[in-house]
Amino acid sequence: MAHLDLTHEKAVLGLANGRYFKGISIGAPGQAVGEVVFNTAMTGYQEILTDPSYSRQLITLTYPHIGNTGVNSEDEESSNILAAGLIIRSLSPVTSNWRSEQSLSEYLLERSIVAISDIDTRALTIMLRQEGAQSGCIITGTHNPEIAIAKAQEALSLEGMDLATSASIKQRQPWSEASSALVGKPGLADINQEHHIVVYDF
């Protein structure tokens, strides 16, 4: 069981509609601008962060307690975090999963991802449901919302933007790991056996 050593540096989330939320930084220092969206999953925050479909978005996790299982090198959906940043209600002070290799905060810092905690994600989610996704900006080291709101209002809309070209892979990716779901099934247990598989990346 690993305990986290957080600095509790100030952070603020400013939105294009003029609303703002004060919290603390749990990731890399700096600022991040993106489209603020929400995800209602109770688990899988590492998979969500590395999902290319969240490119240039600030992800709000509606489940209140995040980070208790840490992160590991096996659960990533892609090799990079393409999300612009992370917004949560509460970061777990400990990681206690046997598969954990580092804490969520350490992971975000290592990947240079700005993130904010200790804000009312319920109020933020209700606002997003009523008004739709909108631009936002997270800034660490301050609780002054003026710059964050201004940067959110200046941000370009993602509507109609071709994000697939930047989020998609550029070359073929070989699959070399056996899946437990396939082991024991006739003709599929040996990953070296030839199979004709077609994958479409949308």
Side-chain angles (χ1 to χ4, degrees), residues 37-70:
V37 298
F38 65 87
N39 185 293
T40 60
M42 294 177 64
T43 61
Y45 52 83
Q46 184 179 0
E47 290 89 339
I48 293 167
L49 280 169
T50 54
D51 183 342
S53 69
Y54 284 108
S55 178
R56 302 191 192 181
Q57 293 181 323
L58 298 172
I59 306 170
T60 305
L61 298 180
T62 62
Y63 190 73
H65 199 55
I66 302 297
N68 60 306
T69 57

Side-chain angles (χ1 to χ4, degrees), residues 5-140:
D5 182 20
L6 299 178
T7 60
H8 297 293
E9 182 180 33
K10 295 177 181 178
V12 63
L13 166 67
L15 302 169
N17 66 359
R19 294 277 303 276
Y20 63 89
F21 297 83
K22 296 178 180 179
I24 62 170
S25 171
I26 58 166
Q31 56 185 270
V33 177
E35 181 184 55
V36 183
V37 298
F38 65 87
N39 185 293
T40 60
M42 294 177 64
T43 61
Y45 52 83
Q46 184 179 0
E47 290 89 339
I48 293 167
L49 280 169
T50 54
D51 183 342
S53 69
Y54 284 108
S55 178
R56 302 191 192 181
Q57 293 181 323
L58 298 172
I59 306 170
T60 305
L61 298 180
T62 62
Y63 190 73
H65 199 55
I66 302 297
N68 60 306
T69 57
V71 298
N72 63 72
S73 56
E74 297 180 359
D75 289 345
E76 297 187 329
E77 296 296 308
S78 62
S79 58
N80 297 306
I81 296 178
L82 294 176
L86 180 66
I87 303 164
I88 66 171
R89 174 65 186 93
S90 174
L91 180 69
S92 174
V94 297
T95 57
S96 56
N97 188 281
W98 67 274
R99 299 176 66 236
S100 176
E101 297 172 5
Q102 61 182 160
S103 71
L104 174 59
S105 189
E106 292 167 338
Y107 179 72
L108 294 169
L109 185 60
E110 183 181 87
R111 302 297 182 95
S112 300
I113 300 299
V114 176
I116 186 172
S117 177
D118 287 47
I119 71 166
D120 189 347
T121 52
R122 181 182 176 88
L124 176 58
T125 300
I126 291 173
M127 187 197 67
L128 294 174
R129 282 189 183 276
Q130 294 174 342
E131 302 182 26
Q134 61 178 292
S135 296
C137 175
I138 303 171
I139 299 181
T140 67

Side-chain angles (χ1 to χ4, degrees), residues 175-179 182 187-195:
W175 179 64
S176 59
E177 299 178 13
S179 171
L182 301 180
L188 294 178
D190 182 6
I191 64 172
N192 295 315
Q193 185 174 340
E194 291 294 328
H195 298 286

